[in-house]
Amino acid sequence: YLRQNAPFVIPDSIEQKKEELGKSPGEKAFFKMLHSEFRKASFFFEKAQQEFEIREERVREGFEIMKQANSIMVNEKWSTIAK
């Protein structure tokens, strides 16, 4: 039974295990590797987002060109724009 305003106290055994894990070389190596992989994934997705923003801008520009009447007097507008 817990009282509403009673502070939550972590038992000593849990605190002791946390300290032991923090000192474990395997645990440290795991979290260093995890952090490294997280940084790589973050970098990848940031670059991918930048690429998609550039692509979106190009598609919008192409759409505006295609909307203009007589902007290109050719049947194959997309082929001409791509060249």
Side-chain angles (χ1 to χ4, degrees), residues 4 8-10 14 19 41 43 56 81:
Q4 271 185 322
F8 182 72
V9 178
I10 298 174
I14 293 175
E19 287 179 26
F43 178 79
E56 180 183 10
I81 290 172

Side-chain angles (χ1 to χ4, degrees), residues 12-65:
D12 290 337
S13 61
I14 293 175
E15 283 294 329
Q16 186 178 16
K17 287 184 181 190
K18 281 174 56 178
E19 287 179 26
E20 289 172 11
L21 283 175
K23 293 177 183 176
S24 167
E27 191 79 13
K28 285 182 180 180
F30 169 77
F31 280 104
K32 280 184 180 181
M33 188 170 58
L34 181 65
H35 185 69
S36 172
E37 292 299 318
F38 176 75
R39 280 185 284 155
K40 284 190 239 176
S42 296
F43 178 79
F44 170 79
F45 283 109
E46 190 175 304
K47 291 297 180 187
Q49 185 176 4
Q50 290 172 355
E51 273 186 45
F52 282 113
E53 288 171 359
I54 292 168
R55 289 179 184 181
E56 180 183 10
E57 185 178 334
R58 288 180 181 166
V59 168
R60 289 183 189 276
E61 287 175 5
F63 181 72
E64 290 301 319
I65 291 170

Side-chain angles (χ1 to χ4, degrees), residues 1-9:
Y1 169 74
L2 293 173
R3 291 183 290 155
Q4 271 185 322
N5 295 331
F8 182 72
V9 178

